[in-house]
């Protein structure tokens, strides 16, 4: 049996997960092109999960994460070298669609390798290599330091979950 997530495109997945509608919001300009990462269809979408509440997905429908070992003030990524094999930095490139997220919270940070990584609320954004399909949240609470990111940059969680 085919998963419903495979049948949906990223925008339809965003709408299905959270009931959000994709408007004709003007895109945010970002550059340079990535050398790795998973953001092929550049977009950040706020969706609602029954388990985790409001969370952020990329343009392909993959869930995005933040790392407690990073810094948001000032933004700094401490996931380098072998860490990036498992945790995929979301790199800045092209036009970026932002839906359901305050555009003022979206930024970027220069990484030690010279690439530029997207941030939300100052927190660098990552995909998780263990998420095999759009909508998977296999990285949530990984090693007690990786969290699905909420549209405000906090940790996604329903009542009783992890604090920001």
């Amino acid at each position: 049996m085919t998963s419903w997530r495979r049948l949906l495109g990223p925008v339809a997945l965003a709408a299905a997960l959270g009931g959000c509608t994709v408007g004709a919001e003007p895109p945010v300009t970002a550059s340079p092109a990535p050398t790795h990462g998973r953001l092929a269809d550049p977009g950040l979408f706020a969706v609602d999960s029954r388990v985790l509440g409001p969370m952020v997905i990329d343009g392909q429908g993959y869930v995005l994460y933040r790392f407690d070992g990073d810094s948001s003030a000032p933004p700094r990524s401490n996931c380098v070298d072998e860490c990036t094999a498992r945790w995929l930095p979301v790199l800045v490139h092209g036009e970026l669609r932002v839906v359901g997220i305050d555009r003022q919270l979206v930024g970027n940070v220069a990484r030690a390798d010279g690439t530029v990584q997207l941030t939300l609320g100052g927190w660098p954004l990552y995909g998780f290599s263990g998420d095999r399909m759009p909508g998977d949240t296999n990285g949530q609470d990984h090693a007690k330091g990786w969290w699905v990111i909420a549209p405000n940059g906090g940790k996604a969680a329903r009542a009783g979950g992890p604090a920001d």
Side-chain angles (χ1 to χ4, degrees):
M1 182 167 157
T2 303
S3 168
W4 63 270
R5 290 183 276 194
R6 288 186 186 181
L7 298 175
L8 299 175
V11 174
L13 177 63
L17 286 175
C20 77
T21 57
V22 178
E25 296 182 35
V28 173
T29 303
S31 63
T35 56
H36 64 291
R38 203 186 276 178
L39 197 61
D41 179 12
L44 298 177
F45 301 90
V47 297
D48 192 46
S49 161
R50 289 187 190 130
V51 176
L52 296 174
M55 64 183 192
V56 178
I57 62 173
D58 69 11
Q60 294 179 326
Y62 284 94
V63 173
L64 299 179
Y65 297 86
R66 58 176 263 185
F67 175 44
D68 284 345
D70 287 344
S71 170
S72 66
R76 182 178 62 244
S77 172
N78 291 314
C79 177
V80 296
D81 301 325
E82 296 84 32
C83 178
T84 62
R86 180 165 242 185
W87 296 96
L88 312 170
V90 177
L91 302 178
V92 173
H93 70 286
E95 297 288 323
L96 179 68
R97 290 180 293 153
V98 178
V99 178
I101 299 167
D102 182 347
R103 290 176 182 273
Q104 293 182 0
L105 295 176
V106 178
N108 62 64
V109 63
R111 295 182 51 79
D113 64 5
T115 59
V116 180
Q117 186 173 1
L118 279 174
T119 62
L120 180 58
W123 293 100
L125 296 175
Y126 301 89
F128 180 51
S129 64
D131 286 347
R132 300 294 179 208
M133 298 176 60
D136 284 352
T137 58
N138 297 321
Q140 175 69 355
D141 196 17
H142 188 273
K144 302 292 181 199
W146 292 91
W147 308 97
V148 171
I149 195 161
N152 65 1
K155 298 173 186 174
R158 289 274 186 219
D164 283 340

